[in-house]
Amino acid sequence: ARIAQYGLSIDELNRVLNTALAGAHAGVVYEGERRFDLVVRLADMRDAGPDKVANILVPLPGGNKQIPLGQLAEVRFESAAAQVSRENGARRIVVEANVRGRDIQSTAEDIQALIDKDLKLPTGWFVSYGGTFQNLQEASARLLLTVPLAMALIFVLLYFAFRSLAESLIIFSAVPMAAVGGVFALWLRGLDFSISAGIGFIALFGVAVLNGIVLISYYNRLKEEGETDVTGRVVHGTLVRLRPVLATAAVASLGFLPMAVSTSPGAEVQRPLATVVIGGLITSTLLTLAVVPVLYHLVFAGKRRKKRRGEEGKNGERDDGRFPLPGALVALLLLGGTAAQAQAPVLTLDSAVARALRGHPAITAAELEVQQQDALRKTAFQLEPLGAQFQGGQINSAAHDYNLQAVTGLPFPTAIAQRARYLKESLRLAEADQGRVQAAVRESTASAYLQWAMSTAYAKLLQQGDSAMQQLAAFAERKFNAGATGRLEMMSARSAADRSRLAVQQAQANIVVHAAELEQWTGALNGAVPDSTALRTAALQPAPAAANDPVVAAAAQQAAVAEAAWKMERGQWAPSLQGGAFLQSIDGVTPFSGYLLGASIPLPGGGQGARTKAARLQSEIAEQHLEEVRRSRSAELARTRAERDQLLRSLAYYDDAGAQLADAIRHDAERAYYAGDAGYLELLQAMDRARAIQAERLATRLQAALSVIHLNALLGQ
């Protein structure tokens, strides 16, 4: 109001303050060929305090008068964050660490286990692992695809080269033999498995089959030259090809030897790769010279014996185990179809929550706490420690006598009753905390599951858009080749298709991230996929009826425990009853016995009064905290219900008119572009708008589902 009264604005005050303290650009100073910015600011203001800043004069409109800054604003210095980092619309705090002396995978797993065990994050916070560990996870996922693909390609190429399934399998047996040597070499050198080692295995598999190709190809050559005896082919071919086999392995091994012993920059990548190749080639070469000839002899000598007995069947002329190419392709297609039918298991939202409630450490800890408090209830009635005393010597006369006595105490009955009540309320508090923990785990698990399902649905949406973009890019290229359009449109279409493909890859990476976040609640997912209807079902779930809020229930029980503790302290003013017995002798004659009765009464100055007062104050604090929690949760409940109502209205639009609008925009734009009535830029804008509407629909579904989950948590459902 004061700033507006003088006709000023916030921007003008900020400009004056920035110019006075940091300086502002006022011109340029030239010194020969060099140029410097001329900056003007107030002198002696780098270490200015609040008083000096408040005395900075601000010119009023018109330029005739000035007014101190302290009359327009309150000036004070406060500490604030130097930088607030954000990622995907959320604040991010980065904790960095370097690993030395061990592998990143086990280090990250140890860190993750400690964080899951000891770090209790509030709602909305989560931990993600990036950097080199994230690169390792992504590269490992790619290796799970590339390694089987490389092995399949090797096998297919072997079949095309020999046109024999049996010979291809015999040569392919060098792959597991090479893998054994690669693993043993890594263990022998104390190296961990890494991405470079995985690449080394791919290279190793390709080189390892060369030895088998050298042997089998020469066996076939001997057969074509008239050598009909299988044993003779094997013995003669192995002896002749011994030197080429050793030379093939030696060339590759010696080529990788400098990389295996390298200590220069980049050696951490070269050493595992070279170690795998060298170790694998050693074992594969030795075993190839022994195993491949034996397998060849077993397979083809048996076929020859069957042929001689007339059991070769319709294809008896093929005594070398060769099969036509179409038969092999049919077998591969059947195998592929069988693999495609093995779908990944579907994990539903209820199953994920049940798994979290059954096995999460926080749930187990809450159950153990209930058992602990139940065990403590048995300590309500307990005697004081038994005090025993023995005296011997000249107690009453010159004769040696002895005196033995034992004394114990018993709290007053009212004190026992108050302690029993306190322990009972503590047990109820543990049960209330168990309910609160269950609600929190249920909400966190459901939220993580919905984020996982959302990322999966969004990836499918991007994949559909990517298919359309790839088709459009191909169409634009055909138009360019036909001379119907320019190179710019064709390059723009290809660039848009590439961006779409990158977006799909990023979405698939997000699925892995959200799956890892869900696994911290449910445990390993073991390749499960989310229910495709989970988002819609959860978003349209009716709002729960009023119930008992577990957080409020825990706070109310905390107040009850504080009140019971106060009454227990107040009950300590009651006297403690004491009793005992003694055995004593006089003048060394027959001893006699008796009993002792007494009471222990607290004194006013002994500190019991202060403890009672402190317990009463703690009870009042707990009551105020309970009222604060009730107000806060009530406001949060009203706010969440209002947000859910608004989200349901938005979701109704997106499910009806929004979905139809997105489909119409996309279809009309594609039809117009293919017909030549619209340019590529118009098409791209229309498709981006349609995809944005669909993405907003998914985001609204997620928010609506999360609001229902939060309402369930607020109402104890």
Side-chain angles (χ1 to χ4, degrees), residues 437-611:
V437 171
Q438 289 177 349
V441 171
R442 186 183 296 109
E443 180 181 10
S444 299
T445 304
S447 300
Y449 180 92
L450 292 176
Q451 293 283 357
W452 181 41
M454 167 65 179
S455 61
T456 303
Y458 186 67
K460 292 181 179 179
L461 174 62
L462 291 181
Q463 287 174 350
Q464 296 173 359
D466 179 66
S467 299
M469 293 301 298
Q470 300 300 330
Q471 294 176 2
L472 291 173
F475 181 75
E477 187 173 358
R478 290 196 298 269
K479 289 178 61 179
F480 170 76
N481 294 333
T485 184
R487 180 179 178 84
L488 178 60
E489 180 174 333
M490 187 269 292
M491 297 301 294
S492 300
R494 176 50 55 190
S495 176
D498 294 340
R499 291 197 305 270
S500 177
R501 183 61 53 83
L502 291 176
V504 171
Q505 295 175 358
Q506 180 62 40
Q508 292 173 347
N510 289 336
I511 295 177
V512 178
V513 172
H514 290 117
E517 295 173 5
L518 179 60
E519 285 181 343
Q520 69 175 329
W521 300 102
T522 62
L525 297 178
N526 297 325
V529 296
D531 184 7
S532 59
T533 63
L535 269 179
R536 180 177 179 84
T537 303
L540 299 179
Q541 181 181 354
N548 188 21
D549 187 349
V551 176
V552 175
Q557 190 58 38
Q558 184 66 46
V561 170
E563 182 181 4
W566 168 43
K567 292 182 178 180
M568 184 178 65
E569 288 293 339
R570 189 175 61 182
Q572 297 299 320
W573 286 105
S576 175
L577 304 180
Q578 295 182 346
F582 67 89
L583 180 67
Q584 181 175 345
S585 67
I586 298 180
D587 296 333
V589 297
T590 304
F592 61 93
S593 61
Y595 59 87
L596 300 173
L597 294 177
S600 176
I601 302 175
L603 297 178
Q608 184 59 41
R611 287 192 293 270

Side-chain angles (χ1 to χ4, degrees), residues 249-315:
V251 168
S253 300
L254 294 176
F256 281 95
L257 184 60
M259 297 172 58
V261 298
S262 174
T263 57
S264 60
E268 66 276 8
V269 177
Q270 300 175 6
R271 281 198 303 268
L273 188 151
T275 300
V276 166
V277 174
I278 294 175
L281 286 178
I282 292 175
T283 58
S284 67
T285 302
L286 297 178
L287 293 177
T288 296
L289 292 173
V291 175
V292 170
V294 173
L295 292 177
Y296 185 89
H297 186 274
L298 290 176
V299 172
F300 294 103
K303 288 181 178 294
R304 184 173 181 82
R305 285 192 297 268
K306 287 183 180 180
K307 181 180 178 180
R308 289 178 178 178
R309 290 193 300 264
E311 299 177 358
E312 70 280 359
K314 294 182 180 180
N315 295 327

Side-chain angles (χ1 to χ4, degrees), residues 600-659:
S600 176
I601 302 175
L603 297 178
Q608 184 59 41
R611 287 192 293 270
T612 303
K613 182 179 180 181
R616 179 179 60 82
L617 293 175
Q618 181 61 36
S619 177
E620 295 177 358
I621 292 173
E623 288 292 339
Q624 296 300 320
H625 177 67
L626 172 60
E627 181 63 23
E628 177 188 1
V629 171
R630 283 175 176 169
R631 294 183 181 183
S632 174
R633 300 290 282 188
S634 177
E636 188 173 357
L637 178 61
R639 181 174 62 254
T640 305
R641 281 177 172 169
E643 291 175 355
R644 169 170 166 74
D645 294 338
Q646 177 60 35
L647 288 170
L648 287 180
R649 288 191 291 268
S650 301
L651 185 59
Y653 163 77
Y654 283 118
D655 286 343
D656 187 11

